[in-house]
Amino acid sequence: MLRRRALLQSVALGAVSALAGKSTMDVQLIRPGDAAYRDAKLGYFTHYDAQRPSAIARVVSPADVQRCIEIARTDRTRITARCGGHSYPGYSTADGALVVDVRGLNRIDVRADGTAEVGAGVLLMDLYLALANAGRMMPAGTCATVGISGLTLGGGIGVTARAFGLTSDRLVSARIVTPDGVLRTVSAAENADLFWALRGGGGGNFGIVTSFVFRTEPARNLTTFTLQFPSAALPSLLSVWPDWQGKAPDALTSTVGVGSGANPYVEVGGCFVGTPANLKPLLDDLVRRVGSQPTSRRETEQGFLAAMERFAWCRVNDGSCKPSWNGGGGSQSRGSYVATSRMLTKPIADPQKLADIFKNTPHSYNMIDALGGAVGRGPATAFPHRAAVASIQVECTLAAGETNARRDMGVARDELGTMFGATGYVNYLDPQMPDWAQAYYGSSLTRLREVARKYDPDRVFAFAQGIA
């Protein structure tokens, strides 16, 4: 641990005199040249490994976060928060930035009233384990090493979204250090404008959250399922899936997954809050509509934690759900792909064209994640896509290099935009997204900019795709 004076001297020499006489509490700081720097600076994606933050501050308290923001304000140092490090454009490991690593803020307290206080540094599988141990559950994502902070701030699409809403819809309150260095509580009753913005306004825009309080649900058994269809059935599947999913009960949330190539991998998978017996007629109806029998079909009833392990392809009891980088101590692998998104805003009028986009995007895997249900009826928040049928994500591996992957991904993104409109999901940030602010924030953009000007008039948290 380094004393605060060392932190100031190494990151923001110009701020020393302005901060003289303040508290000398410790912050662990890792700088270029330190033995731990090479691993500490890594995020989830391998293609950003060459980026060099000016320092990584490992914070363990809101006061630590306040000191880091004070430094950034005084010396005009770029500052960024990092939890899971899954930023698609690599913003949480940016060159020259002071990276505030919040993983030390990892306390989870599941209360008797069914709410859970969750530190901003908690990763999803650690949250699921704590909730399951307390007999609770809540909607969130499927990647074990995604951080609760970024997921929540962007909205939070997950495999039980139609039943229980977005992750951000479950937010009761949060604690955030705003750019002026003040630790604030935000809720429907306190700083309500900022509370609105934090539920869908994107990470890194309004300060650094230190903790959340969520409403949870009693844990219950879930039925996970996967149906793999012949590749020739893809246009038919795309034609019937939106209506089938839209008319299904809220208990059912599904995803269409399509690999690229002349004979793509085609599947429908998801989660049903209920038993296999009640799910079976719904899946039978999908098969009937598609007009082609699946080549494989699986329905498995599981407890909440086991279901989340299944989606994450890991087990909490053997360390396989923990990161293999940044001292995570586990074996979860890192990512080597780029991604973009659009929102499915209307019925698929030309399923063959959509099938061709997926098939013809090299080295891609494409996902259509259902919305509607509880998401469509959700509270008034900054998340702008309540009326969307689904989100569409296009992931391209780096098999042919990053430049080619981004080019091919961009072609698919623009073709999808022609079909469904200039929209996108802020948690799948694409640095080349045309008119990105309107795409990600839609009708919420004007109000979000007002909130940003109010809380960050000096643009402390400005970045390439930041609201400020």
Side-chain angles (χ1 to χ4, degrees):
M1 299 288 284
L2 299 178
R3 302 297 292 177
R4 183 167 188 268
R5 183 166 296 278
L7 174 61
L8 293 171
Q9 290 174 340
S10 59
V11 181
L13 289 173
V16 173
S17 59
L19 300 176
K22 301 282 187 175
S23 168
T24 57
M25 295 174 65
D26 295 330
V27 175
Q28 185 184 13
L29 187 73
I30 301 171
R31 301 163 293 177
D34 291 344
Y37 179 81
R38 181 177 179 181
D39 184 60
K41 72 182 181 68
L42 298 180
Y44 173 71
F45 291 104
T46 60
H47 44 291
Y48 298 121
D49 285 358
Q51 294 188 168
R52 293 180 62 81
S54 63
I56 299 96
R58 286 183 168 163
V59 299
V60 296
S61 71
D64 290 347
V65 175
Q66 288 175 299
R67 289 197 299 279
C68 292
I69 290 178
E70 190 175 17
I71 291 165
R73 280 187 61 86
T74 303
D75 202 48
R76 298 187 178 275
T77 297
R78 180 174 179 181
I79 186 170
T80 183
R82 185 181 69 194
C83 180
H86 283 247
S87 168
Y88 279 174
Y91 292 145
S92 58
T93 55
D95 279 328
L98 170 60
V99 173
V100 182
D101 189 327
V102 300
R103 287 287 307 281
L105 301 171
N106 57 7
R107 181 172 177 266
I108 305 172
D109 179 18
V110 185
R111 301 165 175 170
D113 65 357
T115 61
E117 183 175 1
V118 181
V122 169
L123 303 185
L124 290 190
M125 198 52 69
D126 294 326
L127 175 59
Y128 292 150
L129 176 61
L131 291 175
N133 286 341
R136 308 296 295 183
M137 61 183 287
M138 62 176 277
T142 57
C143 182
T145 59
V146 159
I148 189 63
S149 293
L151 179 79
T152 301
L153 298 174
I157 295 172
V159 292
T160 59
R162 284 173 50 84
F164 302 121
L166 303 171
T167 307
S168 58
D169 293 344
R170 315 297 295 190
L171 190 63
V172 176
S173 65
R175 298 272 277 169
I176 179 173
V177 181
T178 45
D180 56 4
V182 176
L183 176 63
R184 302 175 189 271
T185 297
V186 300
S187 68
E190 297 181 80
N191 302 297
D193 55 349
L194 189 51
F195 183 56
W196 172 85
L198 293 185
R199 293 174 292 163
N205 280 315
F206 306 103
I208 298 179
V209 174
T210 60
S211 64
F212 304 88
V213 175
F214 296 103
R215 289 184 297 109
T216 68
E217 292 285 324
R220 62 201 76 182
N221 282 2
L222 306 172
T223 299
T224 62
F225 63 91
T226 305
L227 286 74
Q228 185 176 347
F229 286 94
S231 59
L234 178 57
S236 178
L237 173 62
L238 294 174
S239 176
V240 304
W241 177 82
D243 183 69
W244 170 80
Q245 175 64 95
K247 292 178 179 177
D250 293 354
L252 176 63
T253 304
S254 69
T255 295
V256 176
V258 183
S260 60
N263 296 296
Y265 178 86
V266 178
E267 72 172 8
V268 177
C271 186
F272 179 70
V273 184
T275 66
N278 290 329
L279 172 63
K280 182 179 184 302
L282 299 172
L283 298 184
D284 289 346
D285 181 45
L286 175 63
V287 172
R288 179 188 62 78
R289 292 184 186 218
V290 173
S292 179
Q293 287 295 316
T295 57
S296 66
R297 175 170 169 169
R298 181 190 61 79
E299 296 131 77
T300 306
E301 186 173 7
Q302 300 172 291
F304 166 66
L305 182 60
M308 295 305 103
E309 289 177 321
R310 181 258 171 188
F311 284 113
W313 294 92
C314 68
R315 297 292 298 276
V316 296
N317 61 2
D318 64 6
S320 62
C321 294
K322 294 185 177 297
S324 59
W325 67 99
N326 265 342
S331 57
Q332 274 281 306
S333 59
R334 301 174 67 207
S336 297
Y337 60 89
V338 295
T340 192
S341 66
R342 291 294 188 188
M343 306 306 291
L344 181 61
T345 55
K346 57 187 176 181
I348 301 172
D350 190 343
Q352 183 62 59
K353 181 178 180 181
L354 181 58
D356 289 341
I357 292 172
F358 291 159
K359 290 191 294 183
N360 296 333
T361 303
H363 310 292
S364 72
Y365 190 73
N366 309 272
M367 290 163 283
I368 308 176
D369 293 315
L371 298 176
V375 176
R377 300 187 302 272
T381 70
F383 182 78
H385 305 301
R386 296 285 180 189
V389 176
S391 69
I392 305 175
Q393 183 176 191
V394 178
E395 295 181 352
C396 292
T397 72
L398 305 186
E402 183 179 352
T403 299
N404 290 331
R406 290 196 182 279
R407 179 200 63 209
D408 296 335
M409 180 186 77
V411 171
R413 175 199 62 223
D414 295 345
E415 290 179 338
L416 292 171
T418 299
M419 292 184 72
F420 303 115
T423 56
Y425 178 37
V426 70
N427 276 354
Y428 304 151
L429 275 174
D430 171 2
Q432 278 80 49
M433 173 69 82
D435 195 13
W436 59 266
Q438 185 63 42
Y440 293 132
Y441 300 116
S443 60
S444 296
L445 180 59
T446 298
R447 185 177 174 189
L448 282 168
R449 284 177 168 161
E450 292 172 354
V451 175
R453 283 193 293 268
K454 175 180 176 180
Y455 289 95
D456 192 10
D458 298 324
R459 296 168 53 89
V460 175
F461 281 86
F463 63 100
Q465 289 179 297
I467 290 173

